[in-house]
Amino acid sequence: MVRWLAAVAEDVDREADRLTELDSAIGDADHGANLKRGFAAVTEVLGKEPPPSPGAVLTAAGRQLISTVGGASGPLYGTLLRRAGKTLGEDAEVTRERLAEALGAGVAAVSQLGGAQVGDKTMLDALVPAVEGLRSSYEAARAAAEEGALATVPLQARKGRASYLGERSIGHQDPGATSSALLFAALAETAGAEGVA
């Protein structure tokens, strides 16, 4: 989990300008900078004293994101990871199926918090199919998240800041769905590097 979140931080750092560019079209133009700061803080906290279990790692990361990241993305990503961490509990080992279950609980919490669902042009358009894909494999999760993010382009935003634009939000890829896809790309990379099935 620590290596996964470190990989997320690297990917977000690399893609921060693109995320901000996407966000400048339909949001506040701060998504990349906010997530970059947030995941850098997560890496720093986990590096000092890694929590004792995978669930505790995710819970600590979620707490850090909520306290570090402004805008909507801090509470949303923080809720995703905290709820997933709490679902895993103190288990020392986590299977892919169990992680899918935990992240599914996190996604449900995000949906509840933001009042959004698939098709509203939000991070859920990538997260929901990714969790479903994770039940099969890490690569399926990555592919499903990327497809979900791309599928937001023709949608009209119905939630979040982009919804204020109405029809003008059509034709733009959602930044939250795009960063969510990075989360699962990093997970697939980390699992692949460690030979985890």
Side-chain angles (χ1 to χ4, degrees), residues 6-117:
V8 172
E10 282 178 28
D11 289 357
V12 165
D13 185 65
R14 188 182 63 244
E15 297 291 328
D17 289 347
R18 184 169 80 97
L19 292 173
T20 293
E21 195 178 311
L22 291 172
D23 196 32
S24 68
I26 57 173
D28 291 332
D30 60 359
H31 190 61
N34 282 345
L35 282 190
K36 181 176 175 177
R37 185 173 67 252
F39 278 101
V42 165
T43 305
E44 189 181 337
V45 163
L46 295 179
K48 283 178 186 165
E49 193 177 333
S53 67
V57 169
L58 294 185
T59 303
R63 258 198 319 268
Q64 190 63 33
L65 287 173
I66 289 169
S67 65
T68 312
V69 181
S73 53
L76 292 169
Y77 272 112
T79 295
L80 172 71
L81 296 179
R82 275 179 65 186
R83 182 61 59 88
K86 285 180 178 167
T87 302
L88 291 176
E90 297 304 313
D91 295 354
E93 298 284 321
V94 176
T95 62
R96 177 177 41 75
E97 294 82 358
R98 185 89 174 93
L99 183 58
E101 181 190 323
L103 287 171
V107 170
V110 167
S111 178
Q112 192 176 15
L113 179 66
Q117 52 196 345

Side-chain angles (χ1 to χ4, degrees), residues 96-105 128-138 140-141:
R96 177 177 41 75
E97 294 82 358
R98 185 89 174 93
L99 183 58
E101 181 190 323
L103 287 171
V128 170
V131 167
E132 201 48 51
L134 189 55
R135 298 181 201 288
S136 303
S137 71
Y138 290 105

Side-chain angles (χ1 to χ4, degrees), residues 143-170:
E146 286 171 1
E147 283 169 28
L150 287 172
T152 63
V153 173
L155 298 177
Q156 179 172 327
R158 291 199 288 262
K159 291 288 175 188
R161 178 99 170 127
S163 67
Y164 304 157
L165 296 175
E167 289 185 2
R168 286 180 297 143
S169 64
I170 296 170

